[in-house]
Amino acid sequence: MTETTTPATRFAVPGRIAVSGQAASRWQTATLTEIRRETPRAATFRLAVPEWAGHLPGQHLLLRLTAPDGYVAQRHYSIASAPDASGHIELTLDRVPDGEVSGWFHTVARPGDTVEVRGPLSGFFAWPGDRPALLLGAGSGVVPLMSMVRHHRARGLTVPLRMLVSARSPEELIYAAELGAETTPVFTRSAPPGVPVGRMAAAHVAPLLADRPAGGWEAYVCGSNAFAEHASRLLVAAGQPVERIRVERFG
Amino acid sequence: MNVTRGFTGRPRVHRPGLPPGQYDAREDWPVLSAEVTPDLSPADWSFRVDGLVERPHTWDWDAAHALPASAYEGDIHCVTGWSKFGVRFGGVSLDAFLSVARPHGSATHALAYSHTGYTTNLPLADLTGGRAWIVWEYDGAPLPPEHGGPARLVVPHLYFWKSAKWVAGITLLDHDEPGFWERNGYHARGNPWEEQRYAGD
Ligand SMILES: Cc1cc2nc3c(=O)[nH]c(=O)nc-3n(C[C@H](O)[C@H](O)[C@H](O)COP(=O)(O)OP(=O)(O)OC[C@H]3O[C@@H](n4cnc5c(N)ncnc54)[C@H](O)[C@@H]3O)c2cc1C
């Protein structure tokens, strides 16, 4: 056997996170049990997945729909719920105009319907709750971050957790009623009286980095590619080390 | 078959060249990477071939550009489901680099790595015989940073996570060693025609 001469990576899978290849390779039937509206464009879909192997906050799954002629459409969705033993997981889907899969969920799906899921996938954008976490999301990019926030609360963790989320308006802020003191919303089109309108900026990020906990932040950025590029640059400019920024791009 | 009630899917035209489970992204070129796009200038870029080779070698930007130019024009396929038809990349065939470094007969695999530390593994046979490129041009213009510029590996017959962005080198090995996504549950080879997406496919 040869030794590899590859340089030591500064961009590594956290050794503390194990991914189950076995869980990832099997399609399972998931039954829709509940639909909750979040905003005019987004809704949460609760699914019973009796043999779900469990997940870490931040992970996603692959979901597939099958047409009568055998055609399948598969898409990735982040898991919104915290890991728990309920035998259920939740997804929150934005309604994409003309969207093939999100369109089915928003216009056809009803409790009792079945879809197929495979996962959880990717141990990279995952947070087991052991290190201070700084979360930056936009639009439905808040979904995997909310799983982290919910996990933090459910376990009563005391490790620092802060979240910045960008939404077009208060009406479009997903999980608005559930967000607490850990979260600072940023509104890009319209905001409540007294709250400025504008995109996420250095001024939002700087105080969080100035207030860096011992050992520093693990940063998680999630949203569209444009948001991911913008937010990760803000973090680097504010002094967050690049190898401690994990990015999930929804496309 | 597990038919989804009320799901018919979009009207579809058969598109030859589209692997199973893929859709045509047309003008879109989605960006998928789990890391921050690096600020890497051509002056800071280099490409190294080492491991089981007779002459380990590092090329800088100018030395790489002095190799015979070679273009790829064809399709690319991403494991997340999109394919893109008729893309044009300009650069140099990986064969040109390998003919300088001269792989040992014992070399069977390669681990490609990027300037950011990303890694991905490939059978050596997937990198030779005019099937892989180091490219710095997309559609006649410099390759954009978020797509791997100044230079990336392109192995178009495999899912695109094998085509390491910001490529810094390949190390030749006599065994297979999983890279970043492969350790994260993805398939070791990633052939789109066999739908080798995840470990176990
Ligand atoms: C890791 C990951 C996690 C994600 N998590 C979430 C999440 O938690 N919540 C969420 O809402 N989204 C999430 N996404 C995005 C999600 O995977 C889908 O991209 C999204 O739901 C849109 O899918 P769709 O089938 O509804 O739309 P699509 O049918 O894919 O359409 C998307 C756009 O492309 C156009 N289009 C695509 N194909 C065609 C075609 N053949 N003909 C015409 N037009 C076409 C459509 O008009 C539309 O504007 C995630 C993505 C990734 C990669």
Side-chain angles (χ1 to χ4, degrees):
Chain A
M1 301 282 275
T2 45
E3 292 294 309
T4 90
T5 52
T6 314
T9 180
R10 59 193 181 104
F11 174 66
V13 184
R16 64 198 200 277
I17 297 176
V19 187
S20 162
Q22 224 157 30
S25 69
R26 199 159 57 92
W27 286 102
Q28 299 186 61
T29 299
T31 307
L32 188 56
T33 60
E34 188 192 334
I35 303 175
R36 284 198 317 269
R37 180 136 302 282
E38 300 284 357
T39 71
R41 282 167 35 116
T44 292
F45 299 86
R46 188 170 174 82
L47 301 165
V49 193
E51 287 173 49
W52 186 245
H55 62 276
L56 290 166
Q59 283 189 294
H60 61 262
L61 52 68
L62 189 57
L63 182 144
R64 101 178 155 193
L65 306 182
T66 306
D69 64 357
Y71 170 80
V72 298
Q74 39 189 41
R75 301 286 186 274
H76 289 106
Y77 291 104
S78 296
I79 300 156
S81 46
D84 60 31
S86 67
H88 286 71
I89 52 169
E90 293 186 353
L91 308 178
T92 301
L93 272 66
D94 231 348
R95 180 168 183 176
V96 173
D98 304 326
E100 193 171 47
V101 172
S102 67
W104 180 86
F105 271 95
H106 280 271
T107 60
V108 180
R110 59 175 190 232
D113 283 340
T114 57
V115 299
E116 287 174 288
V117 296
R118 160 179 200 186
L121 300 171
S122 180
F124 185 67
F125 197 85
W127 179 71
D130 55 350
R131 294 192 187 162
L134 179 56
L135 318 177
L136 277 64
S140 58
V142 68
V143 173
L145 310 181
M146 196 63 202
S147 175
M148 300 178 190
V149 172
R150 288 169 166 163
H151 180 64
H152 191 265
R153 288 185 191 157
R155 296 290 165 94
L157 303 178
T158 54
V159 61
L161 179 82
R162 299 296 307 273
M163 179 159 78
L164 279 175
V165 298
S166 174
R168 271 181 279 247
S169 64
E171 299 70 48
E172 293 207 14
L173 180 63
I174 300 175
Y175 313 127
E178 246 186 277
L179 304 175
E182 78 291 323
T183 301
T184 307
V186 178
F187 298 108
T188 56
R189 304 245 177 103
S190 65
V195 178
V197 174
R199 68 177 196 157
M200 200 177 285
H204 297 107
V205 176
L208 296 168
L209 283 164
D211 193 17
R212 182 180 305 150
W217 296 109
E218 210 65 23
Y220 294 82
V221 174
C222 186
S224 65
N225 179 56
F227 175 79
E229 286 291 303
H230 174 67
S232 59
R233 270 190 200 133
L234 288 177
L235 284 170
V236 173
Q240 174 70 9
V242 284
E243 69 277 13
R244 297 191 64 186
I245 304 175
R246 296 165 198 284
V247 185
E248 185 94 287
R249 301 165 200 256
F250 280 3
Chain B
M1 195 166 72
N2 206 323
V3 174
T4 315
R5 183 191 63 82
F7 177 71
T8 49
R10 219 178 241 121
R12 21 187 198 281
V13 273
H14 175 65
R15 171 106 225 211
L18 194 66
Q22 297 291 109
Y23 69 90
D24 178 359
R26 299 164 196 231
E27 296 313 305
D28 276 2
W29 189 7
V31 175
L32 288 142
S33 70
E35 50 190 320
V36 181
T37 301
D39 236 338
L40 186 67
S41 73
D44 295 328
W45 180 85
S46 61
F47 179 70
R48 179 169 172 82
V49 178
D50 61 17
L52 294 175
V53 296
E54 268 171 54
R55 294 193 301 183
H57 195 84
T58 304
W59 291 260
D60 66 9
W61 186 252
D62 291 339
H65 280 68
L67 294 169
S70 172
Y72 169 73
E73 179 159 359
D75 311 336
I76 58 175
H77 313 287
C78 175
V79 67
T80 60
W82 55 266
S83 292
K84 207 167 156 50
F85 289 90
V87 299
R88 290 194 296 138
F89 286 116
V92 168
S93 167
L94 202 63
D95 293 312
F97 295 94
L98 290 171
S99 67
V100 173
R102 295 206 219 118
H104 287 309
S106 59
T108 57
H109 289 80
L111 194 66
Y113 54 93
S114 78
H115 282 272
T116 60
Y118 175 83
T119 55
T120 188
N121 54 312
L122 302 114
L124 185 54
D126 280 315
L127 292 174
T128 55
R131 306 218 288 166
W133 289 259
I134 301 295
V135 308
W136 35 73
E137 266 177 30
Y138 170 71
D139 223 0
L143 182 66
E146 63 199 58
H147 289 299
R152 75 179 298 162
L153 178 63
V154 166
V155 191
H157 66 285
L158 299 179
Y159 283 128
F160 224 47
W161 90 81
K162 295 287 176 181
S163 296
K165 295 175 180 176
W166 315 295
V167 68
I170 60 169
T171 298
L172 302 199
L173 305 166
D174 61 5
H175 61 279
D176 197 8
E177 202 165 288
F180 173 74
W181 287 119
E182 295 81 12
R183 286 196 302 270
N184 265 292
Y186 283 67
H187 197 274
R189 176 142 187 268
N191 178 349
W193 296 96
E194 314 251 307
E195 274 204 271
Q196 295 171 338
R197 297 175 192 274
Y198 302 102
D201 279 343

Short mmCIF file of all heavy atoms in Angstrom, two decimals, chain A residues 60 75-78 92-94 96-103 140 143 248-250, chain B residues 10 23 26 32, ligand 1:
data_model
loop_
_atom_site.label_atom_id
_atom_site.label_comp_id
_atom_site.label_asym_id
_atom_site.label_seq_id
_atom_site.Cartn_x
_atom_site.Cartn_y
_atom_site.Cartn_z
N HIS A 60 -29.94 16.57 5.17
CA HIS A 60 -31.06 16.56 4.25
C HIS A 60 -31.37 15.14 3.79
O HIS A 60 -30.66 14.20 4.15
CB HIS A 60 -30.79 17.48 3.05
CG HIS A 60 -29.60 17.10 2.22
ND1 HIS A 60 -28.37 17.70 2.37
CD2 HIS A 60 -29.46 16.20 1.23
CE1 HIS A 60 -27.53 17.18 1.50
NE2 HIS A 60 -28.15 16.26 0.80
N ARG A 75 -35.82 15.15 -5.52
CA ARG A 75 -35.26 16.43 -5.08
C ARG A 75 -34.71 16.27 -3.67
O ARG A 75 -35.18 15.42 -2.91
CB ARG A 75 -36.37 17.50 -5.01
CG ARG A 75 -37.11 17.80 -6.29
CD ARG A 75 -36.28 18.59 -7.29
NE ARG A 75 -37.09 18.97 -8.45
CZ ARG A 75 -37.28 18.19 -9.52
NH1 ARG A 75 -36.72 17.00 -9.60
NH2 ARG A 75 -38.05 18.61 -10.52
N HIS A 76 -33.79 17.13 -3.33
CA HIS A 76 -33.25 17.16 -1.97
C HIS A 76 -34.06 18.11 -1.10
O HIS A 76 -34.41 19.20 -1.55
CB HIS A 76 -31.80 17.66 -1.98
CG HIS A 76 -30.85 16.67 -2.57
ND1 HIS A 76 -30.29 16.82 -3.81
CD2 HIS A 76 -30.35 15.51 -2.06
CE1 HIS A 76 -29.50 15.78 -4.06
NE2 HIS A 76 -29.51 14.98 -3.02
N TYR A 77 -34.34 17.70 0.15
CA TYR A 77 -34.97 18.59 1.12
C TYR A 77 -34.30 18.46 2.47
O TYR A 77 -34.04 17.35 2.94
CB TYR A 77 -36.48 18.31 1.24
CG TYR A 77 -37.21 18.72 -0.03
CD1 TYR A 77 -37.63 17.76 -0.94
CD2 TYR A 77 -37.38 20.06 -0.34
CE1 TYR A 77 -38.24 18.14 -2.14
CE2 TYR A 77 -37.98 20.45 -1.55
CZ TYR A 77 -38.40 19.48 -2.43
OH TYR A 77 -38.98 19.86 -3.62
N SER A 78 -34.02 19.58 3.07
CA SER A 78 -33.46 19.60 4.41
C SER A 78 -34.52 19.14 5.40
O SER A 78 -35.72 19.35 5.18
CB SER A 78 -33.02 21.02 4.76
OG SER A 78 -31.98 21.41 3.90
N THR A 92 -40.02 21.46 5.23
CA THR A 92 -40.72 22.71 4.93
C THR A 92 -40.37 23.10 3.51
O THR A 92 -39.19 23.25 3.18
CB THR A 92 -40.32 23.82 5.91
OG1 THR A 92 -40.64 23.41 7.24
CG2 THR A 92 -41.04 25.12 5.59
N LEU A 93 -41.39 23.19 2.67
CA LEU A 93 -41.16 23.45 1.25
C LEU A 93 -41.67 24.81 0.83
O LEU A 93 -42.82 25.16 1.11
CB LEU A 93 -41.85 22.39 0.38
CG LEU A 93 -41.05 21.13 0.09
CD1 LEU A 93 -40.79 20.33 1.33
CD2 LEU A 93 -41.77 20.29 -0.95
N ASP A 94 -40.83 25.51 0.13
CA ASP A 94 -41.20 26.73 -0.54
C ASP A 94 -41.96 26.33 -1.80
O ASP A 94 -41.62 25.35 -2.43
CB ASP A 94 -39.91 27.40 -1.01
CG ASP A 94 -39.84 28.84 -0.59
OD1 ASP A 94 -40.86 29.38 -0.15
OD2 ASP A 94 -38.75 29.41 -0.73
N VAL A 96 -42.31 26.70 -5.41
CA VAL A 96 -41.57 27.26 -6.54
C VAL A 96 -42.54 27.38 -7.71
O VAL A 96 -43.28 26.43 -8.00
CB VAL A 96 -40.40 26.31 -6.90
CG1 VAL A 96 -39.70 26.74 -8.18
CG2 VAL A 96 -39.41 26.23 -5.75
N PRO A 97 -42.60 28.54 -8.39
CA PRO A 97 -43.51 28.67 -9.54
C PRO A 97 -43.23 27.56 -10.56
O PRO A 97 -42.08 27.34 -10.91
CB PRO A 97 -43.17 30.05 -10.13
CG PRO A 97 -42.40 30.77 -9.06
CD PRO A 97 -41.77 29.73 -8.18
N ASP A 98 -44.25 26.85 -11.00
CA ASP A 98 -44.13 25.73 -11.94
C ASP A 98 -43.31 24.57 -11.39
O ASP A 98 -42.89 23.71 -12.15
CB ASP A 98 -43.43 26.13 -13.27
CG ASP A 98 -44.11 27.26 -13.97
OD1 ASP A 98 -45.35 27.31 -13.87
OD2 ASP A 98 -43.41 28.08 -14.61
N GLY A 99 -43.06 24.57 -10.10
CA GLY A 99 -42.21 23.50 -9.54
C GLY A 99 -42.89 22.14 -9.64
O GLY A 99 -44.05 21.99 -9.28
N GLU A 100 -42.14 21.18 -10.11
CA GLU A 100 -42.70 19.85 -10.32
C GLU A 100 -43.00 19.16 -8.98
O GLU A 100 -44.09 18.62 -8.79
CB GLU A 100 -41.67 19.03 -11.11
CG GLU A 100 -42.21 17.75 -11.66
CD GLU A 100 -41.22 17.09 -12.62
OE1 GLU A 100 -40.02 16.99 -12.28
OE2 GLU A 100 -41.65 16.67 -13.70
N VAL A 101 -42.05 19.19 -8.07
CA VAL A 101 -42.22 18.49 -6.79
C VAL A 101 -42.88 19.39 -5.75
O VAL A 101 -43.87 19.00 -5.12
CB VAL A 101 -40.86 17.94 -6.30
CG1 VAL A 101 -40.99 17.39 -4.89
CG2 VAL A 101 -40.35 16.87 -7.27
N SER A 102 -42.38 20.61 -5.59
CA SER A 102 -43.01 21.49 -4.60
C SER A 102 -44.45 21.80 -5.03
O SER A 102 -45.33 21.96 -4.19
CB SER A 102 -42.20 22.78 -4.40
OG SER A 102 -42.22 23.57 -5.56
N GLY A 103 -44.70 21.83 -6.33
CA GLY A 103 -46.05 22.07 -6.84
C GLY A 103 -47.00 20.95 -6.41
O GLY A 103 -48.13 21.21 -5.98
N SER A 140 -36.03 29.74 2.39
CA SER A 140 -36.18 28.39 2.93
C SER A 140 -34.84 27.85 3.45
O SER A 140 -34.80 26.76 4.02
CB SER A 140 -36.78 27.44 1.89
OG SER A 140 -35.97 27.41 0.74
N VAL A 143 -34.52 26.36 6.95
CA VAL A 143 -35.05 25.04 7.34
C VAL A 143 -34.03 24.18 8.12
O VAL A 143 -34.31 23.76 9.24
CB VAL A 143 -35.62 24.28 6.11
CG1 VAL A 143 -36.00 22.86 6.48
CG2 VAL A 143 -36.81 25.03 5.53
N GLU A 248 -24.53 25.27 2.62
CA GLU A 248 -25.50 24.42 1.91
C GLU A 248 -26.20 25.33 0.90
O GLU A 248 -26.81 26.32 1.28
CB GLU A 248 -26.51 23.85 2.89
CG GLU A 248 -27.48 22.86 2.26
CD GLU A 248 -27.02 21.41 2.40
OE1 GLU A 248 -26.06 21.04 1.68
OE2 GLU A 248 -27.60 20.68 3.20
N ARG A 249 -26.07 24.97 -0.38
CA ARG A 249 -26.68 25.78 -1.45
C ARG A 249 -27.88 25.03 -1.99
O ARG A 249 -27.74 23.87 -2.38
CB ARG A 249 -25.66 26.02 -2.56
CG ARG A 249 -24.41 26.75 -2.09
CD ARG A 249 -23.29 26.64 -3.13
NE ARG A 249 -22.00 26.90 -2.53
CZ ARG A 249 -21.31 28.04 -2.68
NH1 ARG A 249 -21.75 29.00 -3.43
NH2 ARG A 249 -20.14 28.19 -2.08
N PHE A 250 -29.02 25.69 -2.02
CA PHE A 250 -30.24 25.04 -2.50
C PHE A 250 -30.33 25.03 -4.03
O PHE A 250 -31.28 24.54 -4.59
CB PHE A 250 -31.48 25.71 -1.91
CG PHE A 250 -31.78 25.26 -0.49
CD1 PHE A 250 -30.93 24.39 0.17
CD2 PHE A 250 -32.90 25.73 0.17
CE1 PHE A 250 -31.21 23.97 1.48
CE2 PHE A 250 -33.19 25.32 1.47
CZ PHE A 250 -32.35 24.44 2.12
N ARG B 10 -44.01 16.74 -15.05
CA ARG B 10 -44.07 17.69 -16.14
C ARG B 10 -44.17 16.96 -17.47
O ARG B 10 -43.60 15.89 -17.60
CB ARG B 10 -42.75 18.43 -16.12
CG ARG B 10 -42.87 19.85 -16.40
CD ARG B 10 -41.53 20.53 -16.32
NE ARG B 10 -41.58 21.52 -15.29
CZ ARG B 10 -40.81 21.55 -14.24
NH1 ARG B 10 -39.89 20.64 -14.07
NH2 ARG B 10 -40.94 22.49 -13.35
N TYR B 23 -32.53 15.84 -15.12
CA TYR B 23 -33.31 16.75 -15.95
C TYR B 23 -32.37 17.73 -16.62
O TYR B 23 -31.24 17.94 -16.17
CB TYR B 23 -34.39 17.47 -15.15
CG TYR B 23 -33.87 18.47 -14.14
CD1 TYR B 23 -33.66 19.80 -14.49
CD2 TYR B 23 -33.58 18.06 -12.84
CE1 TYR B 23 -33.17 20.71 -13.56
CE2 TYR B 23 -33.08 18.97 -11.91
CZ TYR B 23 -32.88 20.29 -12.29
OH TYR B 23 -32.39 21.19 -11.37
N ARG B 26 -30.86 23.30 -18.92
CA ARG B 26 -30.81 24.32 -19.98
C ARG B 26 -29.78 25.40 -19.69
O ARG B 26 -28.62 25.12 -19.53
CB ARG B 26 -32.18 24.96 -20.17
CG ARG B 26 -33.20 23.94 -20.59
CD ARG B 26 -34.60 24.51 -20.40
NE ARG B 26 -35.56 23.44 -20.44
CZ ARG B 26 -36.63 23.45 -21.22
NH1 ARG B 26 -36.89 24.48 -21.98
NH2 ARG B 26 -37.45 22.43 -21.21
N LEU B 32 -22.89 24.02 -6.67
CA LEU B 32 -23.02 23.17 -5.50
C LEU B 32 -21.64 22.98 -4.92
O LEU B 32 -20.80 22.30 -5.49
CB LEU B 32 -23.65 21.83 -5.88
CG LEU B 32 -25.13 22.04 -6.17
CD1 LEU B 32 -25.60 21.20 -7.31
CD2 LEU B 32 -25.96 21.80 -4.93
C1 LIG C 1 -29.30 20.10 -0.13
C2 LIG C 1 -30.58 20.78 -0.55
C3 LIG C 1 -31.57 21.01 0.39
C4 LIG C 1 -32.77 21.64 0.02
N1 LIG C 1 -33.71 21.88 1.00
C5 LIG C 1 -34.85 22.53 0.68
C6 LIG C 1 -35.83 22.82 1.68
O1 LIG C 1 -35.66 22.51 2.87
N2 LIG C 1 -36.97 23.48 1.31
C7 LIG C 1 -37.18 23.86 0.00
O2 LIG C 1 -38.22 24.45 -0.29
N3 LIG C 1 -36.26 23.60 -0.97
C8 LIG C 1 -35.11 22.92 -0.68
N4 LIG C 1 -34.20 22.63 -1.66
C9 LIG C 1 -34.56 22.91 -3.08
C10 LIG C 1 -35.33 21.71 -3.64
O3 LIG C 1 -34.45 20.60 -3.78
C11 LIG C 1 -35.96 21.94 -5.03
O4 LIG C 1 -34.99 22.47 -5.89
C12 LIG C 1 -37.16 22.88 -5.00
O5 LIG C 1 -38.17 22.38 -4.13
C13 LIG C 1 -37.73 23.05 -6.39
O6 LIG C 1 -38.16 21.79 -6.90
P1 LIG C 1 -39.46 21.71 -7.78
O7 LIG C 1 -39.56 20.30 -8.29
O8 LIG C 1 -40.64 22.25 -7.08
O9 LIG C 1 -39.11 22.68 -8.95
P2 LIG C 1 -38.49 22.30 -10.38
O10 LIG C 1 -39.51 21.58 -11.18
O11 LIG C 1 -37.18 21.67 -10.19
O12 LIG C 1 -38.35 23.74 -10.97
C14 LIG C 1 -37.40 24.73 -10.50
C15 LIG C 1 -37.34 25.84 -11.51
O13 LIG C 1 -36.79 25.36 -12.74
C16 LIG C 1 -37.73 25.43 -13.80
N5 LIG C 1 -37.67 24.12 -14.51
C17 LIG C 1 -36.98 23.04 -14.13
N6 LIG C 1 -37.12 22.02 -14.99
C18 LIG C 1 -37.93 22.46 -15.95
C19 LIG C 1 -38.46 21.86 -17.12
N7 LIG C 1 -38.15 20.60 -17.49
N8 LIG C 1 -39.30 22.58 -17.85
C20 LIG C 1 -39.61 23.83 -17.48
N9 LIG C 1 -39.12 24.45 -16.41
C21 LIG C 1 -38.30 23.78 -15.64
C22 LIG C 1 -39.10 25.68 -13.14
O14 LIG C 1 -39.94 26.49 -13.91
C23 LIG C 1 -38.73 26.38 -11.85
O15 LIG C 1 -38.64 27.78 -12.03
C24 LIG C 1 -32.99 22.03 -1.32
C25 LIG C 1 -31.99 21.79 -2.27
C26 LIG C 1 -30.79 21.18 -1.90
C27 LIG C 1 -29.74 20.93 -2.95
#
